[in-house]
Every structure is written in structure tokens, then in C-alpha cells.
Amino acid sequence: MERPVSAAATTDPVSRRRLQPEERRQQIIDGAVAFFADVGLEGKTRDLAKRLGVTQSLLFNYFSSKDNLIEAVYEHVYLNRLSDDWPRRLTDRTRPLRDRLLDFYAEYSTLIFQYEWMRIFMFSGLAGAELNRRYLEHLGSVILTPLLAEIGAASRTGSRPGMEDLWNLHGGIVYIGIRQHIYRMPCPDDPSEAIEGAIDRFLHAFDVV
Amino acid sequence: MERPVSAAATTDPVSRRRLQPEERRQQIIDGAVAFFADVGLEGKTRDLAKRLGVTQSLLFNYFSSKDNLIEAVYEHVYLNRLSDDWPRRLTDRTRPLRDRLLDFYAEYSTLIFQYEWMRIFMFSGLAGAELNRRYLEHLGSVILTPLLAEIGAASRTGSRPGMEDLWNLHGGIVYIGIRQHIYRMPCPDDPSEAIEGAIDRFLHAFDVV
DNA sequence: GCATTTATAGATCATATGATCAATAAGGGA
DNA sequence: TCCCTTATTGATCATATGATCTATAAATGC
């Protein structure tokens, strides 16, 4: 086996010994995020150290175990991925629902359609990390559920989607990032047109003007 | 680290020594598919052997290396996932396009919304296996591309989707399986209603009656 | 029942891997 | 410039892991 360690060499060949602890710690976390995104959470600490240009033992000076390091990676990646004013902005009925949805998915897609996020989210999901389920449940309750009512209110005919319909809208959009970063398929540089189309088709189906 | 080996014990505690080589080989492949789907392609041969109720060395009697075994797993999983009469059935204009689409995704979803397929497809995709890209390119060319013309022909107004729109339809449907088997989120037992909704919204947007 | 074949097991090897710890030297303060 | 703190290294440990090889015993044919 032995997965080929995409050895991008040291990130900064100049950086040498004796950084301030906080700086070094941050450097390790940043490097670990990039590294584990590349090779998966079973990437070897020696390979990560080589990439950082430090010794493997140094990692254990900053993190008590590899699991502990991965925890820090999770925190770094999952933190603030979903800014908490979106529930308010999505339900601000002074603006057309279409604009609100376009704004949300424009910002959200730039946040999540990133190599590190996409891949670490998927790796941790496959590994059964609780963080995934919690994140998606959070997304469902603070974003999708409020949207049920918004669409119902904005519909000319009062037709309302079910929760599963909203997951379908969401999934269709997220799948762009999956194709791009997980499957490494050729994808449009700018996904906003595809996203706009998906949103318009969805609103159209529920008679939102 | 040391991922918890979901040790479901031996699959068949009765099965004992000296099977016919072909039978044993098949048993190993079947067990390996289930095992790697659970723990990922970096699962350890000793854990797989334990699950099968055989010794680890026996695996290497049937497969020259772990990579070789994984190749067999890929073949077993990827083979005939997309039956090749679908291009014809999808373009059979004697039937309503909606029926053709519903039929396709009904059958396709039962094929792919399975634990082993979903997870091994994702694991191999993350590992950069060429098989993934080829599979998706195949799907794009023999299923989605023909659908472009079908929708255009069936549209009252002649409006045609782009390729990216079809990936959006497809992705929204596939995402059900991702939520279920990768993220292990609660999902509807029967996805056909959600699929039907997605297809109808899509056709509706392109003025297909 | 016996001999032969060979599927399977058990012991073992070489290396990889997470983790530890004492030794070293970089950098700041006097 | 020297000293002292401590960030960093290098050697090392215990175990895990893919792979190999010989011994064993289950099935098959006579």
C-alpha cells in the first residue's frame, strides 16, 4: 500500500528553528489541515513533519497525540464555517426571497467549495466523526427549516416544500464542490451560474416569483 | 489513532477450513468489500482476516498484495453498476420523458444507495482512484449528455438545460445516498418521493409537460 | 483405510508508526 | 558577551503492519 505522500516539501524552506510557541502551533495546524486534506486522516506524522520542515517529535511537543492534533484540525476547519447571522438574513422579508437565497449560497459556496474543507469534511464524515452529523443537523435547523416557512410565505399559491426537497436543493449545490474537490472532475470556475439556475428552478416549482 | 475496528466478528462462524479456492476467494472479496466499506481502504489485513475467521496469511495466498486485493474489491463494486441499455431506454421517445427519467433514477438509486457502493466509491474517490473519474465521465457521456437532447426535444418552449444543470439534478439525487451512508444522517426509507419531486421540478423548469 | 495433494495455519521478518526523553542550541535579557 | 530558559532535535522504544515461509491437517482418489 503506502499511499504516495504528495511530498510538497517544506512549506517554507527558510523558516527555521525556535519560533514562538503560539506561532509554531499555528504553523503546525495550518500544515496539518493541508496535509490531512491531501492524504486523509490516516496520514503519517513523519510525513507531516517532513512537509513542515520540522522533526516528527516536535509535533508531540505541541499535541499530546495524533488524535489531539486532529482535534485541532477539526476545530480549525469547522469553526465559523456557518456565520450565525444567516438565520436572520434569510428570514428578512423586506428583501425578495430569491435575493436572500442567492446571497446565502453565493457566500456559502465560496466558504465550503474549498479543497481543505471539502476533503476534511468528507474524511471526517467517513470516519464517523460526530462533528459532521452535528454540523449538518445545525445546518438543517438554522438554515433549511426556516427556509420552509419562507418559501411557503413567498409562494403565490402557498405550495410548500418538504424538508427533503430542501435537502435536495442543498445537495445539488454542494455536489458541485464534491465533484471538484473529492472526485477532481472538471468543473466550472465560477459555480454561481449553476447555483442561480438551481435556485430559480426550485423557486419556480413552488410558485415563488 | 487506531481506528476502532468495527469488529463484527466472523461473518460465518461455522465456515471452517479448506474451501474450494474459488469459493474462498469469493468469500474473501465479499468480506473485504464489507470490511473496507466500514473502515476505509486503509483497514488492516489482520482485522479483515479476523472478521472472516481465517488467518491473515491466507489472504496473501489468494492475493499477491493488499493493493491487489483492493483491486479485486474495486472490480467487484464497480462492475455493472450502470447497465448499458439505459442510453437506449432513456432516448426511447415512444415513452414520456418523465417516465423514462423516473424509471432510470428508480433503478439507479436502488443500485447506488447501498452502504458498500456509496462508501467505497467515496473512499476510492478521495484516494484519487482513476476508476472514479472514469465512472463519472462515463455516466456523463452515456446518461447525462443524451438527456440534454431529450429534454430539449420534450420542452414545449424548446428551452434546454446545460450540462451543469444536469449534474445539479443528478447531484441532488445522489446526495440522498451521501447523507444516508457517508454522513449517516436520518433519511427517508424510500427516496422515490424525493427523487420524483426533484425530477418534476427539473422538467417543470424546462417546460416539459 | 491409506497416500497424496494442497488449502490453511502459525511463526517470523523487515519495516513503519505513534510516542518518549535526554541532549542541544537558538534567542532574549543582563 | 555571557548566561539561562526552552524550543527543537536525534536517538530510541513498543507495537503495528504487510508480507513470507514452512509445517499441518483437511479433503480427494485409489
Side-chain angles (χ1 to χ4, degrees):
Chain A
M1 281 307 277
E2 304 340 304
R3 204 196 291 240
V5 167
S6 65
T10 65
T11 38
D12 181 2
V14 182
S15 96
R16 206 142 280 276
R17 320 207 318 192
R18 217 169 174 85
L19 297 191
Q20 292 302 317
E22 268 318 306
E23 190 182 353
R24 178 68 83 188
R25 185 186 166 86
Q26 198 53 54
Q27 183 207 37
I28 292 176
I29 293 178
D30 292 344
V33 168
F35 174 72
F36 288 127
D38 276 348
V39 307
L41 300 173
E42 313 215 3
K44 314 304 178 186
T45 55
R46 278 172 178 79
D47 294 327
L48 168 58
K50 195 173 299 176
R51 212 194 252 215
L52 287 167
V54 299
T55 53
Q56 181 238 10
S57 58
L58 186 65
L59 303 179
F60 292 90
N61 202 301
Y62 289 88
F63 302 92
S64 61
S65 68
K66 186 182 165 186
D67 275 339
N68 184 243
L69 170 58
I70 288 180
E71 280 300 312
V73 167
Y74 281 169
E75 271 175 39
H76 183 276
V77 170
Y78 276 87
L79 204 65
N80 293 331
R81 190 62 52 166
L82 202 57
S83 84
D84 40 343
D85 60 338
W86 273 116
R88 186 189 49 75
R89 294 170 64 187
L90 276 170
T91 55
D92 171 18
R93 297 193 182 171
T94 64
R95 301 183 60 218
L97 176 55
R98 178 175 186 273
D99 292 350
R100 288 177 261 159
L101 267 173
L102 287 176
D103 281 358
F104 171 71
Y105 274 110
E107 180 173 319
Y108 189 66
S109 64
T110 61
L111 274 176
I112 69 163
F113 287 3
Q114 291 185 355
Y115 186 80
E116 285 82 9
W117 161 261
M118 270 288 155
R119 292 179 66 89
I120 287 184
F121 187 81
M122 197 59 79
F123 277 124
S124 69
L126 280 164
E130 200 54 43
L131 229 45
N132 269 73
R133 231 185 319 280
R134 272 193 286 160
Y135 173 85
L136 287 172
E137 277 161 9
H138 181 66
L139 180 91
S141 62
V142 306
I143 303 290
L144 302 188
T145 299
L147 278 178
L148 287 179
E150 293 307 306
I151 293 173
S155 170
R156 278 185 294 104
T157 62
S159 82
R160 299 169 67 100
M163 198 59 183
E164 206 53 37
D165 297 317
L166 276 166
W167 277 116
N168 175 259
L169 168 67
H170 187 79
I173 292 172
V174 169
Y175 195 72
I176 299 172
I178 294 178
R179 279 193 296 140
Q180 182 177 8
H181 295 299
I182 311 292
Y183 303 142
R184 299 172 189 265
M185 299 280 292
C187 285
D189 303 321
D190 182 4
S192 44
E193 193 184 331
I195 293 174
E196 184 177 336
I199 289 174
D200 281 337
R201 287 193 290 277
F202 196 80
L203 294 179
H204 182 45
F206 291 99
D207 306 303
V208 177
V209 284
Chain B
M1 281 307 279
E2 305 338 307
R3 204 197 289 242
V5 167
S6 65
T10 66
T11 37
D12 180 2
V14 182
S15 97
R16 205 143 282 275
R17 320 212 313 196
R18 221 175 169 80
L19 297 191
Q20 292 303 316
E22 268 320 305
E23 189 181 355
R24 179 67 83 188
R25 185 186 165 86
Q26 198 52 54
Q27 183 207 38
I28 292 176
I29 293 178
D30 292 345
V33 167
F35 173 71
F36 288 127
D38 276 347
V39 307
L41 301 173
E42 313 216 2
K44 313 305 177 185
T45 55
R46 278 173 178 77
D47 294 327
L48 168 58
K50 196 174 297 175
R51 211 195 254 214
L52 287 167
V54 300
T55 54
Q56 181 239 8
S57 60
L58 186 66
L59 304 179
F60 291 90
N61 203 300
Y62 289 89
F63 301 93
S64 61
S65 68
K66 187 183 164 186
D67 274 340
N68 185 243
L69 171 58
I70 288 179
E71 279 302 311
V73 167
Y74 280 169
E75 273 176 40
H76 183 277
V77 170
Y78 276 87
L79 206 64
N80 293 329
R81 191 61 55 165
L82 200 57
S83 86
D84 39 344
D85 60 339
W86 272 116
R88 186 188 52 74
R89 295 171 63 187
L90 276 170
T91 54
D92 171 18
R93 297 192 182 170
T94 65
R95 300 183 60 219
L97 176 55
R98 178 176 185 273
D99 291 350
R100 289 177 261 157
L101 267 174
L102 287 176
D103 281 358
F104 171 71
Y105 275 110
E107 181 174 318
Y108 188 67
S109 65
T110 60
L111 274 177
I112 70 162
F113 288 3
Q114 291 186 354
Y115 185 80
E116 284 84 7
W117 161 262
M118 270 288 154
R119 293 179 66 89
I120 287 184
F121 187 81
M122 197 59 79
F123 277 123
S124 69
L126 280 165
E130 200 53 43
L131 229 46
N132 269 73
R133 230 186 321 280
R134 272 193 285 159
Y135 174 85
L136 287 172
E137 277 161 8
H138 181 66
L139 180 92
S141 62
V142 307
I143 304 290
L144 302 189
T145 298
L147 278 178
L148 286 179
E150 292 308 305
I151 293 173
S155 170
R156 277 186 295 103
T157 62
S159 80
R160 297 168 69 100
M163 198 59 184
E164 206 53 36
D165 297 317
L166 276 166
W167 277 116
N168 175 260
L169 169 66
H170 188 79
I173 291 172
V174 169
Y175 195 73
I176 298 171
I178 294 178
R179 279 194 295 140
Q180 183 177 8
H181 295 298
I182 311 291
Y183 303 141
R184 298 171 188 269
M185 299 279 293
C187 285
D189 303 322
D190 182 5
S192 43
E193 194 184 330
I195 292 174
E196 185 177 337
I199 289 174
D200 282 337
R201 287 193 291 277
F202 196 80
L203 294 179
H204 182 44
F206 292 98
D207 306 305
V208 178
V209 284

